[in-house]
Amino acid sequence: MPSPRRVWLAVAAMFFLNGGLFGTWASRIPTVAEHHNLDGGWLGLLLLVLASGALISFPLAGRASDTFGAARATLAIAVAYTLALVMIACAFNLWLTAAALFLFGAGHGAMDVTMNSWAGEAERFIAKPVMSSFHAMWSLGAGVGAAAGYMAVSLELSLLTHFSLIGITMYVSTILLGSIGWQSETRPRAAGAKRFPLPHGVLLWVGIIALCASLGEGAIADWSALFLVTVTSATTAQGAIGYAVFSLAMVIMRLIGGSVISRLGPASAARFAGCSASIGILLAVLPANFMAALLGFFFLGIGYALIMPLAFSRAANDPDTPPGIAIASVATLGYGGMLLGPPLIGFTAHFVTLHYAFGILGLLALFIVFIAPSLERF
């Protein structure tokens, strides 16, 4: 049996790989758009194709995790996910690009489910709340992937060269850490079980908490720069700082999140997270000042950082639902929030301006505070 440290490194490596490949793709979105001469509408459709692949993969990955074991499924999906990144670079027309992005989204979403199932097993084995630290490794991987993308653009590397080098390097280095012979629990699919399950009972409230947080994450990712420019009169360059501050706060909090959850417990930690996010929105919206808004984004990052690890940890330990299915159902609502957040803010901004549309995130953060007890384990 591997040591707790070895188990943590194995699972953390999978989170790093998942985030790293996604960050690599995200860093070259402008290149792909330019290559195919895409305007905002067409690019939005391509991103929707990617998201659709992820949503469809969630229940299938949950079933695979329970049938074959989370660790085995994660290692297998990692291969397909890496190859899908390279396929994006090989696509020479829009239709092939869409197909590659669908597969890439499916690989990303499927691995998200199986690696979180494995993380739940690892957390029980280590006997400490380490789920948050795994999600920190995802954020770190995404940052490394984005930084490598910046270097690739600076060096004028082609998409194929960039994606092949990063994909092979990240896969080989992380798969060596991840291959520890871990034997995951398996649970055959029950007769009459739904093919595309949605959360129910307490898990429904867990999924709603994940939805509230991921909706905010998606909104900050897509609208923070424009918010700073239009509301605080920041320059375009200053506008980019907002998401960087938000991401930094998320990484820091996820690294220390285990200690916070151990001290406070899941429900109190979620209340703390919701209150932090609420304060962040107040700082961003009320003063309409650049520095205050940056501080607000930092508080938002602190708040949102804890919610998804708490939600996935609660799902992985649900007493009534197999972990693969439980995580897949919660992930469906969580990922739906990432898709819903940006258009919801945009639609609301059409009527009340972007400044006050951000107030929706504050209301959702307060809702997290009220339903936080659903994250307690039983």
Side-chain angles (χ1 to χ4, degrees):
M1 180 67 69
S3 67
R5 177 179 174 79
R6 187 72 180 87
V7 173
W8 185 90
L9 283 173
V11 180
M14 295 300 97
F15 274 78
F16 183 89
L17 175 63
N18 188 281
L21 295 182
F22 192 81
T24 298
W25 146 250
S27 70
R28 298 306 295 269
I29 290 176
T31 304
V32 173
E34 182 180 355
H35 179 72
H36 295 291
N37 195 28
L38 303 176
D39 59 16
W42 279 105
L43 179 58
L45 287 175
L46 273 185
L47 296 178
L48 185 60
V49 168
L50 185 152
S52 299
L55 286 172
I56 291 173
S57 76
F58 286 150
L60 301 177
R63 192 188 313 168
S65 179
D66 290 332
T67 302
F68 303 107
R72 182 180 175 188
T74 299
L75 295 173
I77 292 168
V79 180
Y81 183 36
T82 305
L83 291 175
L85 177 69
V86 179
M87 288 175 61
I88 297 172
C90 294
F92 56 82
N93 62 40
L94 188 59
W95 294 108
L96 288 176
T97 300
L101 279 174
F102 181 85
L103 294 175
F104 183 73
H108 173 69
M111 190 175 174
D112 193 17
V113 170
T114 59
M115 70 186 188
N116 272 288
S117 295
W118 189 3
E121 296 175 6
E123 189 174 49
R124 289 192 293 274
F125 176 76
I126 297 171
K128 293 180 181 179
V130 294
M131 182 69 79
S132 180
S133 65
F134 292 139
H135 283 257
M137 291 302 102
W138 189 97
S139 299
L140 180 61
V144 170
Y150 173 79
M151 293 179 61
V153 172
S154 301
L155 296 172
E156 299 183 352
L157 297 182
S158 68
L159 273 181
L160 182 57
T161 301
H162 174 204
F163 285 4
S164 297
L165 284 174
I166 289 297
I168 292 172
T169 301
M170 283 195 169
Y171 175 78
V172 171
S173 58
T174 55
I175 210 69
L176 291 174
L177 289 172
S179 301
I180 58 172
W182 180 268
Q183 297 297 316
S184 293
E185 305 167 6
T186 57
R187 296 174 178 80
R189 181 169 175 258
K194 295 180 180 179
R195 291 182 179 271
F196 297 95
L198 289 174
H200 60 277
V202 176
L203 275 184
L204 176 60
W205 293 109
V206 175
I208 290 174
I209 288 176
L211 174 71
C212 291
S214 62
L215 191 151
E217 280 192 60
I220 296 298
D222 283 19
W223 289 102
S224 59
L226 189 60
F227 178 91
L228 290 173
V229 171
T230 59
V231 176
T232 72
S233 300
T235 65
T236 303
Q238 288 175 324
I241 299 175
Y243 189 63
V245 169
F246 174 82
S247 299
L248 176 63
M250 288 196 75
V251 172
I252 293 172
M253 179 49 67
R254 282 178 169 172
L255 286 173
I256 65 172
S259 299
V260 174
I261 295 169
S262 292
R263 286 177 175 272
L264 301 180
S268 295
R271 291 192 188 97
F272 165 78
C275 289
S276 177
S278 300
I279 292 170
I281 287 297
L282 289 175
L283 287 170
V285 172
L286 294 184
N289 173 270
F290 177 67
M291 294 306 296
L294 287 184
L295 183 60
F297 288 158
F298 190 84
F299 273 92
L300 281 164
I302 288 174
Y304 290 147
L306 290 177
I307 295 301
M308 294 306 287
L310 282 168
F312 280 129
S313 182
R314 173 62 179 80
N317 291 279
D318 188 75
D320 302 317
T321 308
I325 297 299
I327 288 175
S329 64
V330 169
T332 300
L333 280 183
Y335 205 87
M338 293 289 285
L339 297 177
L340 182 62
L344 176 63
I345 293 297
F347 178 78
T348 307
H350 180 73
F351 296 98
V352 299
T353 74
L354 181 60
H355 186 180
Y356 296 108
F358 262 53
I360 293 175
L361 305 184
L363 295 177
L364 293 174
L366 287 176
F367 192 58
I368 291 174
V369 175
F370 290 121
I371 60 175
S374 62
L375 290 170
E376 288 286 359
R377 298 180 187 177
F378 297 96

